Amino acid sequence: MRVVVALGGNAISRRGEQMTIDNQRRNLREACSVLARVAQEHQLVITHGNGPQVGQLALHNKDGYPLDVLGAETQGLIGYMIEMEMRAVMAPGQMLTTVLTLAEVDPDDPAFGDPTKFVGPVYREDQARAMAAQYGWQFRLDGDDHRRVVPSPMPRRVVQIDSVRRLLDAGHIVVSTGGGGIPVVQVPEGGYRGVEAVVDKDASSSVMASSIEADVYVMATDADAVYLDWGLPTQRAITEIDVEELDAMTFPAGSMGPKVSAACRFVRASGHPAVIGRLDQLQAILDGTAGTRVLPHA
């Protein structure tokens, strides 16, 4: 099969853990040991988030680099670490390429006026207020903690899609669409310019997965499934669901909501299933025995 796996932020930098290079490498080593087994049987594209990393860079950004430049920095950083860990566990003769990826967005997307994408670490309320006053940043609650939010426009297309296709056809494992892709808009005189945003990696991965005609799109997170009535005594996991039924449900914008939207978008565009589940259950997910499987409308 042609498989796209979107790594959640927890696969790189776990909540409550110091964001050191050693910690990130250790986490990715665990992730890549799972991914390498899949790559022995299937064509594989790996995508990844960058929320913690781009927020950390912004925090120490003394020269005022815009978010698109910081996004490019994190794509290189995380792509390099994934390459190094994958190359340590790949089968002999396998090839791997990381593609610097642009995501085209609409300059008039309403998301620019309503920031919702969490980036960076969590803060206490007094810390968030101080940073909002100092930097002009906006904050929202992420669980019980305060976290910076930035615009997250919907991706129209992945600019390097032809490169991804050709690399897959040539037998490469591909790392692509890191951090949702570097956000750019087309300009009248030709070409692109970067914009101040962070594109949701699940949304961009969905666009990319349907564009390369993937057989399945997997969003690997720290939850084993999508749950109804989360946190209540009646909570229950969804194992398999029709895309129309799932799309009619409401999930929090700061957690499962974007993943559900991305799953529905891929299933409608491709006619193939999307699955949300735990990375360490990836083989079971591909076998159809784990995660929440979103199916085309019957």
Side-chain angles (χ1 to χ4, degrees), residues 43-68:
Q43 291 185 343
L44 176 64
V45 179
I46 304 166
T47 73
H48 61 81
N50 71 341
Q53 291 79 12
V54 77
Q56 188 78 357
L57 283 179
L59 185 61
H60 301 289
N61 180 18
K62 306 300 183 186
D63 298 317
Y65 287 1
L67 283 172
D68 61 303

Side-chain angles (χ1 to χ4, degrees), residues 12 48-59 61 64-80 98-103 117 119-120 148 150-151 175-184 194-201:
I12 306 165
H48 61 81
N50 71 341
Q53 291 79 12
V54 77
Q56 188 78 357
L57 283 179
L59 185 61
N61 180 18
Y65 287 1
L67 283 172
D68 61 303
V69 174
L70 299 181
E73 288 188 35
T74 60
Q75 242 189 58
L77 165 69
I78 300 169
Y80 162 66
T98 300
V99 180
L100 187 73
T101 314
L102 310 178
K117 176 69 176 175
V119 298
R148 185 187 174 192
V150 300
V175 181
S176 170
T177 324
I182 303 162
V184 298
V195 291
E196 189 78 351
V198 174
V199 182
D200 181 75
K201 71 101 173 37

Side-chain angles (χ1 to χ4, degrees), residues 122-202:
V122 296
Y123 299 97
R124 300 189 311 270
E125 183 176 1
D126 60 321
Q127 293 174 315
R129 286 180 177 175
M131 299 184 86
Q134 182 176 358
Y135 300 114
W137 292 352
Q138 296 187 51
F139 288 83
R140 291 191 180 185
L141 282 174
D142 183 6
D144 295 327
D145 300 300
H146 293 260
R147 201 171 171 200
R148 185 187 174 192
V149 289
V150 300
S152 185
M154 286 298 297
R156 286 177 160 179
R157 71 185 188 99
V158 174
V159 175
Q160 285 81 3
I161 201 69
D162 286 341
S163 299
V164 175
R165 282 200 200 98
R166 292 183 183 188
L167 286 165
L168 285 171
D169 289 342
H172 290 243
I173 302 166
V174 181
V175 181
S176 170
T177 324
I182 303 162
V184 298
V185 296
Q186 284 192 318
V187 294
E189 57 270 24
Y192 301 91
R193 66 172 174 85
V195 291
E196 189 78 351
V198 174
V199 182
D200 181 75
K201 71 101 173 37
D202 293 317

Side-chain angles (χ1 to χ4, degrees), residues 5-131:
V5 178
L7 295 179
N10 63 290
I12 306 165
S13 180
R14 295 172 183 169
R15 185 183 288 267
E17 182 180 77
Q18 281 192 313
M19 204 185 306
T20 65
I21 292 297
D22 285 345
N23 283 342
Q24 292 177 82
R25 280 177 171 158
R26 186 189 65 252
N27 294 336
L28 281 171
R29 192 169 302 127
E30 294 176 13
C32 289
S33 67
V34 177
L35 293 166
R37 291 194 292 272
V38 171
Q40 291 179 23
E41 300 181 24
H42 307 288
Q43 291 185 343
L44 176 64
V45 179
I46 304 166
T47 73
H48 61 81
N50 71 341
Q53 291 79 12
V54 77
Q56 188 78 357
L57 283 179
L59 185 61
H60 301 289
N61 180 18
K62 306 300 183 186
D63 298 317
Y65 287 1
L67 283 172
D68 61 303
V69 174
L70 299 181
E73 288 188 35
T74 60
Q75 242 189 58
L77 165 69
I78 300 169
Y80 162 66
M81 289 194 292
I82 291 175
E83 276 236 7
M84 295 297 283
E85 299 305 329
M86 281 295 293
R87 288 185 180 277
V89 293
M90 282 175 5
Q94 280 191 305
M95 299 176 288
L96 184 150
T97 300
T98 300
V99 180
L100 187 73
T101 314
L102 310 178
E104 182 187 341
V105 301
D106 184 347
D108 297 319
D109 192 303
F112 286 107
D114 182 26
T116 59
K117 176 69 176 175
F118 289 119
V119 298
V122 296
Y123 299 97
R124 300 189 311 270
E125 183 176 1
D126 60 321
Q127 293 174 315
R129 286 180 177 175
M131 299 184 86

